[in-house]
Amino acid sequence: MDRHNFGGCLCGSVRFETRGELREVIGCHCSQCRRQTGLYYAATDVPLERFQLLEEATLAWYSASASARRGFCSTCGSALFWQAEGGDKISILAGAFDQPSGLKMGYHIYCNDKPDFYDLPNDGLPRHPQGRP
């Protein structure tokens, strides 16, 4: 549990820290994630007790559905977080982490919802037609 990762938004107004190992990165190809980021959502997650916001003055939340909310910087627009309502974990976009992050891709979900303008990466990782297996 010694590992600490840091990250934040493009303008630096939102900063966070995670403690301990992080789950592999999951690529989500659903329409909501795609509309939020412009491509697909690549994120890891961490239990809330191992997550801390260091700077949050411009952090805003949007509830795209009744089951989850999405966190972003209201100044620079960086997409940062996804959190299930009442959940005990927070998903963090992989690109928000400072480098080196130590993150690795694990698998892809909602592949049946992938748009027509890109092909799934030829990365040899498992692909699931809907959500997590």
Side-chain angles (χ1 to χ4, degrees), residues 19-99:
R19 294 172 308 284
E21 293 302 313
L22 298 167
R23 181 203 72 202
E24 73 274 3
V25 174
I26 297 172
C28 181
H29 301 270
C30 81
S31 62
Q32 286 186 1
C33 288
R34 186 175 67 250
R35 288 179 187 272
Q36 183 188 23
T37 65
L39 195 56
Y40 65 91
Y41 201 91
T44 185
D45 68 21
V46 65
L48 289 173
E49 67 265 10
R50 294 195 286 121
F51 172 80
Q52 181 179 0
L53 284 167
L54 304 173
E55 300 287 337
E56 59 181 302
T58 60
L59 178 60
W61 292 93
Y62 174 71
S63 293
S65 69
S67 61
R69 65 186 189 152
R70 296 164 182 271
F72 63 96
C73 176
S74 63
T75 298
C76 67
S78 294
L80 299 166
F81 310 117
W82 181 94
Q83 187 176 25
E85 288 299 326
D88 61 353
K89 294 181 179 182
I90 188 164
S91 290
I92 306 167
L93 270 79
F97 283 94
D98 298 344
Q99 295 299 300

Coordinates of all heavy atoms in Angstrom, one line a residue, residues 19-99:
R19 N -3.8 6.2 -3.0 CA -2.9 5.4 -2.2 C -3.1 3.9 -2.5 O -4.3 3.5 -2.6 CB -3.0 5.7 -0.8 CG -2.7 7.1 -0.4 CD -3.0 7.5 1.0 NE -4.4 7.3 1.5 CZ -5.4 8.0 1.1 NH1 -5.3 9.0 0.3 NH2 -6.6 7.7 1.6
G20 N -2.1 3.2 -2.7 CA -2.2 1.8 -3.0 C -2.2 1.4 -4.4 O -2.2 2.3 -5.3
E21 N -2.3 0.2 -4.7 CA -2.3 -0.3 -6.1 C -3.7 0.0 -6.8 O -4.7 0.1 -6.1 CB -2.1 -1.8 -6.2 CG -0.7 -2.2 -5.8 CD 0.4 -1.6 -6.6 OE1 0.2 -1.6 -7.9 OE2 1.3 -1.1 -6.0
L22 N -3.6 0.3 -8.0 CA -4.8 0.6 -8.8 C -5.2 -0.6 -9.7 O -4.4 -1.3 -10.1 CB -4.6 1.8 -9.7 CG -4.3 3.1 -8.9 CD1 -3.7 4.2 -9.9 CD2 -5.5 3.6 -8.2
R23 N -6.5 -0.7 -9.9 CA -7.0 -1.7 -10.8 C -6.6 -1.4 -12.3 O -6.2 -0.3 -12.6 CB -8.6 -1.7 -10.8 CG -9.3 -2.7 -11.6 CD -10.7 -2.3 -12.0 NE -10.6 -1.2 -13.0 CZ -11.6 -0.3 -13.2 NH1 -12.7 -0.4 -12.5 NH2 -11.5 0.6 -14.0
E24 N -6.6 -2.5 -13.1 CA -6.2 -2.3 -14.5 C -7.2 -1.3 -15.1 O -8.3 -1.0 -14.6 CB -6.3 -3.6 -15.3 CG -7.7 -4.2 -15.5 CD -8.2 -5.0 -14.4 OE1 -7.6 -5.1 -13.4 OE2 -9.4 -5.5 -14.6
V25 N -6.8 -0.7 -16.2 CA -7.6 0.3 -16.9 C -8.7 -0.5 -17.8 O -8.3 -1.4 -18.5 CB -6.7 1.2 -17.8 CG1 -7.6 2.1 -18.7 CG2 -5.8 2.0 -16.9
I26 N -9.9 0.0 -17.7 CA -10.9 -0.5 -18.6 C -11.3 0.5 -19.6 O -11.5 1.7 -19.3 CB -12.2 -0.9 -17.7 CG1 -11.8 -2.0 -16.7 CG2 -13.3 -1.3 -18.6 CD1 -12.9 -2.3 -15.7
G27 N -11.4 0.1 -20.9 CA -11.9 1.0 -21.9 C -13.4 0.8 -22.1 O -13.8 -0.3 -22.5
C28 N -14.1 1.9 -21.9 CA -15.6 1.8 -22.1 C -16.0 2.5 -23.3 O -15.7 3.7 -23.5 CB -16.3 2.4 -20.9 SG -18.1 2.3 -21.0
H29 N -16.7 1.8 -24.2 CA -17.1 2.4 -25.5 C -18.5 2.8 -25.6 O -19.1 3.0 -26.7 CB -16.7 1.3 -26.6 CG -15.3 1.0 -26.6 ND1 -14.4 1.7 -27.4 CD2 -14.6 0.1 -25.9 CE1 -13.2 1.2 -27.2 NE2 -13.3 0.2 -26.3
C30 N -19.2 2.9 -24.4 CA -20.6 3.3 -24.4 C -20.8 4.7 -24.9 O -19.9 5.5 -24.9 CB -21.3 3.1 -23.0 SG -21.0 4.4 -21.9
S31 N -22.0 5.1 -25.3 CA -22.3 6.4 -25.9 C -22.1 7.5 -24.9 O -21.7 8.6 -25.3 CB -23.7 6.4 -26.5 OG -24.7 6.2 -25.5
Q32 N -22.5 7.3 -23.6 CA -22.3 8.3 -22.6 C -20.8 8.7 -22.4 O -20.4 9.9 -22.4 CB -22.9 8.0 -21.3 CG -24.4 8.0 -21.3 CD -25.0 7.8 -19.9 OE1 -24.3 7.5 -18.9 NE2 -26.3 7.8 -19.8
C33 N -20.0 7.7 -22.3 CA -18.5 7.9 -22.1 C -18.0 8.6 -23.3 O -17.2 9.5 -23.3 CB -17.8 6.6 -21.8 SG -18.1 6.0 -20.1
R34 N -18.4 8.1 -24.5 CA -17.9 8.7 -25.8 C -18.3 10.2 -25.9 O -17.5 11.0 -26.3 CB -18.4 7.9 -26.9 CG -17.9 8.3 -28.3 CD -18.3 7.4 -29.4 NE -19.8 7.5 -29.6 CZ -20.7 6.5 -29.4 NH1 -20.3 5.4 -28.8 NH2 -21.9 6.7 -29.7
R35 N -19.5 10.5 -25.5 CA -19.9 11.9 -25.6 C -19.2 12.8 -24.6 O -18.9 13.9 -24.9 CB -21.4 12.0 -25.4 CG -22.2 11.5 -26.6 CD -23.7 11.5 -26.4 NE -24.4 10.9 -27.4 CZ -24.8 11.4 -28.6 NH1 -24.5 12.7 -28.8 NH2 -25.5 10.7 -29.4
Q36 N -18.8 12.2 -23.5 CA -18.1 13.0 -22.5 C -16.7 13.3 -22.9 O -16.2 14.4 -22.7 CB -18.2 12.4 -21.1 CG -17.5 13.2 -20.1 CD -17.3 12.6 -18.7 OE1 -17.3 11.4 -18.6 NE2 -17.2 13.4 -17.7
T37 N -16.0 12.3 -23.5 CA -14.6 12.4 -23.8 C -14.2 12.6 -25.2 O -13.1 13.0 -25.5 CB -13.9 11.2 -23.3 OG1 -14.3 10.0 -24.0 CG2 -14.1 10.9 -21.8
G38 N -15.1 12.3 -26.1 CA -14.8 12.4 -27.5 C -14.3 11.2 -28.2 O -14.3 11.0 -29.4
L39 N -14.0 10.2 -27.4 CA -13.5 8.9 -27.9 C -14.1 7.8 -27.0 O -15.3 7.7 -26.8 CB -12.0 8.8 -28.0 CG -11.4 7.7 -28.9 CD1 -12.0 7.7 -30.3 CD2 -9.9 7.8 -28.9
Y40 N -13.2 7.1 -26.3 CA -13.7 6.1 -25.3 C -13.1 6.5 -24.0 O -12.1 7.1 -23.9 CB -13.5 4.7 -25.7 CG -12.1 4.2 -25.9 CD1 -11.5 3.6 -24.8 CD2 -11.4 4.2 -27.1 CE1 -10.2 3.1 -24.9 CE2 -10.2 3.8 -27.2 CZ -9.5 3.2 -26.1 OH -8.3 2.7 -26.3
Y41 N -13.7 6.0 -22.9 CA -13.4 6.3 -21.6 C -12.4 5.2 -21.1 O -12.7 4.0 -21.1 CB -14.7 6.2 -20.8 CG -14.7 6.9 -19.4 CD1 -15.2 8.2 -19.4 CD2 -14.4 6.2 -18.3 CE1 -15.3 8.9 -18.1 CE2 -14.6 6.9 -17.0 CZ -15.0 8.2 -17.0 OH -15.1 8.8 -15.8
A42 N -11.2 5.6 -20.7 CA -10.2 4.7 -20.2 C -10.0 5.0 -18.8 O -9.4 6.1 -18.5 CB -8.9 4.7 -21.0
A43 N -10.4 4.1 -17.9 CA -10.3 4.5 -16.4 C -10.0 3.3 -15.6 O -10.2 2.2 -15.9 CB -11.7 5.1 -16.0
T44 N -9.4 3.6 -14.4 CA -9.1 2.7 -13.3 C -10.1 3.1 -12.2 O -10.9 4.1 -12.3 CB -7.7 2.8 -12.9 OG1 -7.4 1.8 -11.9 CG2 -7.3 4.1 -12.3
D45 N -10.1 2.4 -11.1 CA -10.8 2.8 -9.9 C -10.1 2.5 -8.7 O -9.1 1.8 -8.7 CB -12.2 2.3 -9.9 CG -12.4 0.8 -9.7 OD1 -11.4 0.2 -9.1 OD2 -13.4 0.3 -10.0
V46 N -10.5 3.2 -7.6 CA -9.9 3.0 -6.3 C -11.0 3.2 -5.2 O -11.9 3.9 -5.4 CB -8.8 4.1 -6.1 CG1 -9.3 5.5 -6.1 CG2 -7.9 3.8 -4.9
P47 N -10.9 2.4 -4.1 CA -11.8 2.6 -3.0 C -11.7 4.0 -2.5 O -10.7 4.6 -2.4 CB -11.4 1.6 -2.0 CG -10.6 0.6 -2.7 CD -10.0 1.3 -3.9
L48 N -12.9 4.6 -2.1 CA -12.9 6.0 -1.6 C -12.0 6.2 -0.5 O -11.4 7.3 -0.3 CB -14.3 6.4 -1.2 CG -15.3 6.5 -2.4 CD1 -16.7 6.8 -1.9 CD2 -14.9 7.7 -3.3
E49 N -11.7 5.2 0.4 CA -10.8 5.5 1.5 C -9.4 5.6 1.1 O -8.5 6.0 1.9 CB -11.0 4.4 2.6 CG -10.5 3.0 2.2 CD -11.6 2.1 1.6 OE1 -12.7 2.6 1.4 OE2 -11.3 0.9 1.4
R50 N -9.1 5.3 -0.2 CA -7.7 5.5 -0.7 C -7.6 6.6 -1.7 O -6.7 6.7 -2.5 CB -7.2 4.2 -1.3 CG -7.0 3.1 -0.2 CD -6.2 1.9 -0.6 NE -6.9 1.0 -1.6 CZ -6.5 0.7 -2.8 NH1 -5.4 1.2 -3.3 NH2 -7.2 -0.1 -3.6
F51 N -8.6 7.5 -1.7 CA -8.7 8.6 -2.7 C -8.8 9.9 -1.9 O -9.6 10.0 -0.9 CB -9.9 8.4 -3.6 CG -10.2 9.6 -4.4 CD1 -9.5 9.8 -5.6 CD2 -11.2 10.5 -4.1 CE1 -9.8 10.9 -6.4 CE2 -11.5 11.6 -4.9 CZ -10.8 11.8 -6.1
Q52 N -8.1 10.9 -2.3 CA -8.2 12.2 -1.7 C -8.2 13.3 -2.7 O -7.3 13.3 -3.5 CB -7.1 12.4 -0.6 CG -7.2 13.7 0.1 CD -6.1 13.9 1.1 OE1 -5.3 13.0 1.3 NE2 -6.1 15.0 1.8
L53 N -9.1 14.3 -2.6 CA -9.0 15.5 -3.4 C -8.1 16.4 -2.7 O -8.2 16.7 -1.5 CB -10.4 16.1 -3.6 CG -11.3 15.4 -4.6 CD1 -12.7 15.9 -4.4 CD2 -10.8 15.6 -6.0
L54 N -7.1 16.9 -3.5 CA -6.1 17.9 -2.9 C -6.5 19.3 -3.2 O -6.3 20.2 -2.4 CB -4.7 17.6 -3.4 CG -4.2 16.2 -3.2 CD1 -2.9 15.9 -3.9 CD2 -4.1 15.9 -1.7
E55 N -7.1 19.5 -4.4 CA -7.6 20.8 -4.9 C -8.9 20.5 -5.6 O -9.0 19.6 -6.4 CB -6.6 21.5 -5.9 CG -5.2 21.7 -5.4 CD -5.2 22.9 -4.4 OE1 -6.1 23.8 -4.5 OE2 -4.3 22.9 -3.6
E56 N -10.0 21.2 -5.3 CA -11.3 20.9 -5.8 C -12.1 22.1 -6.1 O -13.3 22.0 -6.4 CB -12.0 19.9 -5.0 CG -12.3 20.4 -3.5 CD -13.0 19.4 -2.7 OE1 -14.1 19.0 -3.1 OE2 -12.4 19.0 -1.6
A57 N -11.5 23.3 -6.1 CA -12.3 24.5 -6.3 C -13.2 24.5 -7.6 O -14.3 25.1 -7.6 CB -11.4 25.7 -6.3
T58 N -12.7 23.9 -8.6 CA -13.4 24.0 -9.9 C -14.1 22.6 -10.3 O -14.5 22.4 -11.4 CB -12.5 24.4 -11.0 OG1 -11.4 23.5 -11.2 CG2 -12.0 25.9 -10.8
L59 N -14.1 21.7 -9.3 CA -14.7 20.4 -9.6 C -16.2 20.5 -9.7 O -16.8 21.0 -8.8 CB -14.3 19.3 -8.5 CG -14.9 17.9 -8.6 CD1 -14.4 17.3 -9.9 CD2 -14.4 17.1 -7.4
A60 N -16.8 20.0 -10.7 CA -18.2 20.0 -10.9 C -18.6 18.6 -11.2 O -17.8 17.8 -11.7 CB -18.6 20.9 -12.1
W61 N -19.9 18.3 -10.9 CA -20.4 16.9 -11.1 C -21.7 17.0 -12.0 O -22.5 18.0 -11.9 CB -20.8 16.3 -9.8 CG -19.6 16.0 -9.0 CD1 -19.0 16.7 -8.0 CD2 -18.8 14.8 -9.0 NE1 -18.0 16.1 -7.5 CE2 -17.8 14.9 -8.1 CE3 -18.9 13.6 -9.8 CZ2 -16.8 13.9 -7.8 CZ3 -17.9 12.6 -9.6 CH2 -16.9 12.8 -8.6
Y62 N -21.8 16.0 -12.9 CA -23.0 15.9 -13.8 C -23.5 14.5 -13.6 O -22.8 13.6 -13.8 CB -22.6 16.2 -15.2 CG -23.7 16.0 -16.2 CD1 -24.8 16.8 -16.2 CD2 -23.7 14.9 -17.0 CE1 -25.9 16.6 -17.1 CE2 -24.7 14.6 -17.9 CZ -25.8 15.5 -17.9 OH -26.9 15.3 -18.8
S63 N -24.8 14.4 -13.4 CA -25.5 13.1 -13.3 C -26.1 12.8 -14.6 O -27.1 13.3 -15.0 CB -26.5 13.1 -12.2 OG -26.0 13.2 -10.9
A64 N -25.4 12.0 -15.4 CA -25.8 11.6 -16.7 C -27.0 10.6 -16.7 O -27.7 10.4 -17.7 CB -24.7 11.0 -17.5
S65 N -27.1 9.9 -15.5 CA -28.2 9.0 -15.3 C -28.5 8.9 -13.8 O -27.8 9.6 -13.0 CB -27.8 7.6 -15.8 OG -26.8 7.0 -14.9
A66 N -29.5 8.2 -13.4 CA -29.9 8.1 -12.0 C -28.9 7.3 -11.2 O -28.9 7.3 -10.0 CB -31.3 7.6 -11.9
S67 N -28.1 6.5 -11.9 CA -27.2 5.6 -11.3 C -25.8 6.0 -11.1 O -25.0 5.4 -10.4 CB -27.2 4.2 -12.0 OG -26.7 4.4 -13.3
A68 N -25.4 7.1 -11.7 CA -24.0 7.6 -11.6 C -23.8 9.0 -11.9 O -24.7 9.7 -12.5 CB -23.1 6.8 -12.6
R69 N -22.7 9.6 -11.5 CA -22.3 10.9 -11.8 C -20.9 11.0 -12.3 O -20.1 10.1 -12.1 CB -22.5 11.8 -10.5 CG -21.5 11.4 -9.4 CD -21.8 12.2 -8.1 NE -20.7 12.0 -7.2 CZ -20.3 12.9 -6.2 NH1 -21.0 14.0 -6.1 NH2 -19.4 12.6 -5.4
R70 N -20.6 12.1 -13.1 CA -19.3 12.3 -13.7 C -18.7 13.6 -13.3 O -19.4 14.6 -13.3 CB -19.5 12.3 -15.2 CG -20.0 10.9 -15.8 CD -20.6 11.1 -17.2 NE -21.1 9.8 -17.6 CZ -20.4 8.9 -18.2 NH1 -19.1 9.1 -18.5 NH2 -20.9 7.7 -18.6
G71 N -17.5 13.5 -12.8 CA -16.8 14.7 -12.3 C -15.9 15.3 -13.4 O -15.2 14.6 -14.1
F72 N -15.8 16.6 -13.5 CA -15.0 17.3 -14.4 C -14.6 18.7 -13.9 O -15.2 19.2 -12.9 CB -15.8 17.5 -15.8 CG -17.0 18.3 -15.7 CD1 -17.0 19.7 -16.0 CD2 -18.2 17.8 -15.2 CE1 -18.1 20.5 -15.8 CE2 -19.4 18.6 -15.1 CZ -19.3 19.9 -15.4
C73 N -13.6 19.3 -14.5 CA -13.2 20.6 -14.1 C -14.0 21.6 -14.9 O -14.1 21.6 -16.1 CB -11.7 20.8 -14.5 SG -11.1 22.5 -14.1
S74 N -14.7 22.5 -14.1 CA -15.5 23.6 -14.7 C -14.7 24.7 -15.4 O -15.3 25.5 -16.1 CB -16.5 24.1 -13.7 OG -15.8 24.8 -12.7
T75 N -13.4 24.7 -15.2 CA -12.6 25.7 -15.9 C -12.1 25.2 -17.2 O -12.3 25.8 -18.2 CB -11.4 26.2 -15.0 OG1 -12.0 26.8 -13.8 CG2 -10.5 27.2 -15.7
C76 N -11.4 24.1 -17.2 CA -10.7 23.6 -18.4 C -11.5 22.5 -19.1 O -11.2 22.2 -20.3 CB -9.3 23.2 -18.2 SG -9.2 21.7 -17.1
G77 N -12.5 22.0 -18.5 CA -13.4 21.0 -19.1 C -12.9 19.5 -19.0 O -13.5 18.6 -19.5
S78 N -11.7 19.3 -18.3 CA -11.2 18.0 -18.3 C -12.1 17.0 -17.6 O -12.6 17.3 -16.5 CB -9.9 18.0 -17.4 OG -8.9 18.7 -18.1
A79 N -12.4 15.9 -18.3 CA -13.2 14.8 -17.7 C -12.3 14.0 -16.7 O -11.1 13.7 -17.1 CB -13.7 13.9 -18.8
L80 N -12.7 13.8 -15.5 CA -11.9 13.2 -14.5 C -12.4 12.0 -13.8 O -11.6 11.0 -13.6 CB -11.6 14.3 -13.4 CG -10.9 15.6 -13.8 CD1 -11.0 16.6 -12.8 CD2 -9.4 15.3 -14.2
F81 N -13.7 12.0 -13.4 CA -14.2 10.9 -12.5 C -15.5 10.4 -13.0 O -16.3 11.1 -13.7 CB -14.3 11.4 -11.1 CG -13.2 12.2 -10.5 CD1 -13.2 13.5 -10.2 CD2 -11.9 11.5 -10.3 CE1 -12.1 14.2 -9.7 CE2 -10.8 12.2 -9.8 CZ -10.9 13.5 -9.5
W82 N -15.8 9.2 -12.6 CA -17.1 8.5 -12.7 C -17.4 7.8 -11.4 O -16.5 7.2 -10.8 CB -17.1 7.5 -13.8 CG -18.4 6.8 -14.1 CD1 -19.4 7.2 -15.0 CD2 -18.9 5.7 -13.4 NE1 -20.5 6.4 -14.9 CE2 -20.2 5.4 -14.0 CE3 -18.5 4.8 -12.4 CZ2 -21.0 4.3 -13.5 CZ3 -19.2 3.8 -12.0 CH2 -20.5 3.5 -12.6
Q83 N -18.6 8.0 -10.8 CA -18.9 7.4 -9.5 C -20.3 6.9 -9.5 O -21.2 7.7 -9.8 CB -18.6 8.4 -8.4 CG -18.8 7.7 -7.0 CD -18.4 8.7 -5.9 OE1 -18.5 9.9 -6.1 NE2 -18.1 8.1 -4.8
A84 N -20.5 5.7 -9.2 CA -21.9 5.1 -9.0 C -22.5 5.7 -7.8 O -21.8 5.9 -6.8 CB -21.8 3.6 -8.9
E85 N -23.8 6.1 -7.9 CA -24.5 6.6 -6.7 C -24.4 5.6 -5.6 O -24.8 4.5 -5.7 CB -26.0 6.9 -7.1 CG -26.1 8.1 -8.0 CD -25.6 9.4 -7.4 OE1 -25.7 9.6 -6.2 OE2 -25.1 10.2 -8.2
G86 N -24.0 6.1 -4.5 CA -23.9 5.3 -3.3 C -22.7 4.3 -3.3 O -22.5 3.5 -2.4
G87 N -21.8 4.4 -4.3 CA -20.7 3.5 -4.5 C -19.6 3.7 -3.5 O -19.5 4.9 -3.0
D88 N -18.8 2.7 -3.3 CA -17.6 2.9 -2.4 C -16.3 3.0 -3.1 O -15.3 3.0 -2.5 CB -17.6 1.7 -1.4 CG -17.4 0.4 -2.1 OD1 -17.5 0.3 -3.3 OD2 -17.2 -0.6 -1.3
K89 N -16.4 3.2 -4.4 CA -15.2 3.4 -5.3 C -15.4 4.6 -6.2 O -16.6 5.1 -6.4 CB -15.0 2.2 -6.2 CG -14.6 1.0 -5.4 CD -14.3 -0.2 -6.4 CE -14.0 -1.4 -5.6 NZ -13.7 -2.5 -6.5
I90 N -14.3 5.1 -6.7 CA -14.4 6.2 -7.7 C -13.5 5.8 -8.9 O -12.4 5.3 -8.7 CB -14.0 7.6 -7.1 CG1 -14.3 8.7 -8.1 CG2 -12.6 7.6 -6.6 CD1 -14.3 10.1 -7.5
S91 N -14.1 5.9 -10.1 CA -13.3 5.7 -11.3 C -12.6 7.0 -11.7 O -13.2 8.1 -11.6 CB -14.2 5.2 -12.4 OG -14.7 3.9 -12.2
I92 N -11.4 6.8 -12.1 CA -10.6 8.0 -12.5 C -10.0 7.8 -13.9 O -9.5 6.7 -14.2 CB -9.4 8.1 -11.5 CG1 -9.9 8.2 -10.1 CG2 -8.6 9.4 -11.9 CD1 -8.8 8.0 -9.0
L93 N -10.2 8.8 -14.8 CA -9.7 8.6 -16.1 C -8.2 8.5 -16.1 O -7.5 9.2 -15.4 CB -10.1 9.8 -17.0 CG -11.4 9.6 -17.7 CD1 -12.6 9.8 -16.8 CD2 -11.5 10.4 -18.9
A94 N -7.7 7.5 -16.8 CA -6.3 7.1 -16.8 C -5.4 8.3 -17.3 O -4.3 8.5 -16.8 CB -6.1 5.9 -17.7
G95 N -5.9 9.1 -18.2 CA -5.1 10.2 -18.7 C -5.0 11.4 -17.7 O -4.2 12.3 -17.9
A96 N -5.7 11.4 -16.6 CA -5.6 12.4 -15.6 C -4.4 12.2 -14.6 O -4.1 13.1 -13.9 CB -6.9 12.5 -14.8
F97 N -3.8 11.0 -14.7 CA -2.7 10.7 -13.7 C -1.4 11.3 -14.2 O -1.1 11.3 -15.4 CB -2.5 9.2 -13.6 CG -3.5 8.6 -12.7 CD1 -4.7 8.0 -13.2 CD2 -3.3 8.5 -11.3 CE1 -5.6 7.4 -12.4 CE2 -4.3 7.9 -10.5 CZ -5.4 7.4 -11.0
D98 N -0.6 11.8 -13.3 CA 0.7 12.2 -13.6 C 1.5 11.0 -14.0 O 1.2 9.9 -13.5 CB 1.4 12.9 -12.3 CG 0.7 14.1 -11.9 OD1 -0.1 14.7 -12.6 OD2 0.9 14.6 -10.7
Q99 N 2.6 11.2 -14.7 CA 3.4 10.1 -15.2 C 4.7 10.0 -14.3 O 5.2 11.0 -13.9 CB 3.8 10.3 -16.7 CG 2.5 10.2 -17.6 CD 1.8 8.9 -17.5 OE1 2.4 7.8 -17.8 NE2 0.6 8.9 -17.1

